[in-house]
């Protein structure tokens, strides 16, 4: 179904919905209200009424944009007659973290305006600042990740040794609020962070003295201790952590980042724009040597 402009150019329902998506990502409430019909309705699928008419729909958009500065990423679109169905990931950005929620939106378009919209909300993935109460769960996740995701990169003996003697939470990062967790529908799936301090790697037990602050003008910030639940590997959680940490470090005045990577993490860091500057090994108990890579990136 197409509606004609005055110059006989057809406006398809898909074009109308794309204009809506563009206005949403621009946080342009007047443009959105011009696309919705005056008596339009929004529903949570299948029939829970969310808003009716421009005043209510506009108020929903204003509140949504103020809460998390969202951006919709279109994954797929299906058009059939006056209906357009979008499959999206809606990314949010708040003061204490970021989020990503799967969404299926169905739009009914008549006379080049959206008359009804139905929203089906999927899983919510949220990145937030780690709290002291999270430390036991983070250490348990780190232990699982350190052993299981090292397969194919380290021997079982190497993986066990680094997990027991090196891996773990550096609680200074938690106190500094530069360490984060990712949850999906309330379940912790990943943790990681950045640091404005000198320590390059290791948990509390690896420290032997003060951990001084770095000078952003002359020193590189640190990327620290990214770990993902094995069942959630290769779902983009490490990249989500990295994007947030880079934004935070840049806002703190750092122009470069440095990290010490275990071999399972090297592919993620290379994909994130880091380059290997040094290959070295860590001496662990029982004469175990663990290969590592020092990596660097300019923001």
């Amino acid at each position: 179904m197409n509606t004609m402009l005055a110059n006989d150019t057809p406006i398809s329902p898909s074009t109308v919905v794309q204009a809506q998506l563009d206005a949403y990502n621009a946080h342009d409430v007047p443009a959105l209200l011009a696309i919705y019909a005056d008596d339009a309705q929004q529903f949570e699928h299948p029939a829970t009424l969310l808003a009716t008419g421009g005043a209510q729909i506009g108020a929903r958009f204003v509140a949504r944009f103020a809460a998390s500065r969202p951006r919709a990423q279109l994954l797929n679109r299906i058009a059939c007659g006056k209906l357009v169905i979008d499959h999206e990931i809606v990314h949010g950005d708040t003061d204490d973290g970021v989020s990503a929620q799967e969404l299926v939106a169905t739009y009914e378009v008549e006379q080049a305006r959206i008359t009804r919209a139905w929203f089906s909300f999927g899983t919510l993935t949220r990145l937030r600042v780690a709290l002291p109460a999270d430390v036991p769960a983070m250490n348990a996740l780190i232990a699982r990740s350190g052993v299981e995701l090292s397969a194919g990169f380290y021997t079982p003996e190497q993986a066990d040794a680094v997990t027991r003697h090196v891996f773990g939470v550096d609680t200074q990062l938690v106190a500094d609020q530069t360490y984060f967790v990712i949850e999906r529908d309330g379940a912790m799936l990943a943790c990681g962070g950045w640091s404005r301090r000198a320590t390059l790697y290791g948990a509390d037990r690896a420290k032997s003295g003060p951990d001084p602050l770095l000078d952003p003008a002359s020193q590189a910030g640190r990327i620290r201790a990214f770990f993902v639940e094995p069942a959630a590997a290769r779902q983009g959680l490490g990249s989500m952590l990295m994007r947030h940490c880079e934004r935070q470090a840049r806002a703190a005045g750092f122009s470069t980042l440095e990290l010490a990577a275990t071999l399972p993490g090297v592919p993620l860091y290379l994909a994130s724009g880091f380059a290997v500057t040094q290959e070295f090994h860590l001496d662990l108990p029982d004469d175990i040597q663990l290969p590592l890579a020092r990596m660097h990136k300019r923001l």
Side-chain angles (χ1 to χ4, degrees):
M1 173 181 174
N2 294 326
T3 298
M4 307 297 290
L5 290 173
N7 62 1
D8 295 332
T9 301
I11 305 175
S12 69
S14 292
T15 300
V16 173
V17 170
Q18 182 60 47
Q20 180 272 158
L21 181 64
D22 293 340
Y24 182 89
N25 285 338
H27 301 171
D28 189 338
V29 175
L32 284 163
L33 293 181
I35 294 166
Y36 274 85
D38 294 341
D39 59 350
Q41 294 179 308
Q42 292 180 328
F43 299 88
E44 181 174 348
H45 188 272
T48 301
L49 183 64
L50 300 173
T52 298
Q56 292 183 13
I57 291 173
R60 288 193 74 239
F61 282 129
V62 168
R64 182 75 173 94
F65 297 155
S68 65
R69 301 181 291 279
R71 178 181 60 82
Q73 175 190 358
L74 181 64
L75 302 179
N76 193 29
R77 174 172 290 158
I78 299 172
C80 182
K82 64 182 180 179
L83 296 180
V84 179
I85 302 172
D86 279 1
H87 181 202
E88 303 171 358
I89 300 292
V90 180
H91 302 273
D93 186 4
T94 63
D95 291 338
D96 67 343
V98 297
S99 64
Q101 185 164 33
E102 188 176 20
L103 173 72
V104 174
T106 303
Y107 300 97
E108 179 185 73
V109 179
E110 295 182 338
Q111 300 299 310
R113 300 183 79 183
I114 296 171
T115 55
R116 289 188 292 179
W118 297 262
F119 304 110
S120 300
F121 300 96
T123 56
L124 174 64
T125 302
R126 177 174 176 248
L127 183 154
R128 61 169 175 82
V129 173
L131 303 173
D134 296 316
V135 171
M138 290 191 294
N139 275 325
L141 185 156
I142 289 169
R144 291 190 297 273
S145 179
V147 171
E148 295 185 39
L149 296 185
S150 291
F153 295 93
Y154 293 135
T155 67
E157 292 77 18
Q158 288 173 318
D160 180 68
V162 70
T163 299
R164 285 191 293 114
H165 298 292
V166 180
F167 289 164
V169 176
D170 181 343
T171 54
Q172 181 64 64
L173 305 186
V174 177
D176 289 343
Q177 296 189 317
T178 61
Y179 204 66
F180 310 98
V181 298
I182 294 179
E183 299 170 320
R184 181 173 295 153
D185 292 338
M188 187 183 297
L189 296 184
C191 58
W194 72 282
S195 178
R196 56 173 63 92
R197 297 183 181 273
T199 296
L200 189 60
Y201 61 86
D204 285 347
R205 60 183 176 276
K207 290 187 174 181
S208 57
D211 194 356
L213 291 168
L214 298 164
D215 177 9
S218 60
Q219 295 174 293
R222 312 305 198 203
I223 292 294
R224 296 288 308 279
F226 280 28
F227 294 95
V228 176
E229 187 69 52
R234 289 172 290 280
Q235 295 181 16
L237 302 181
S239 297
M240 185 178 186
L241 276 168
M242 183 61 73
R243 288 191 298 270
H244 186 65
C245 288
E246 288 185 359
R247 284 196 298 268
Q248 294 277 305
R250 190 181 293 110
F254 287 92
S255 60
T256 57
L257 291 173
E258 191 173 37
L259 60 88
T262 55
L263 298 188
V266 169
L268 167 67
Y269 302 132
L270 288 174
S272 299
F274 284 79
V276 175
T277 58
Q278 179 190 12
E279 294 179 346
F280 65 103
H281 68 264
L282 186 64
D283 292 321
L284 298 174
D286 300 320
D287 296 322
I288 292 174
Q289 290 190 329
L290 189 84
L292 298 173
R294 196 175 190 117
M295 305 184 73
H296 184 272
K297 177 181 180 177
R298 182 170 295 278
L299 295 175

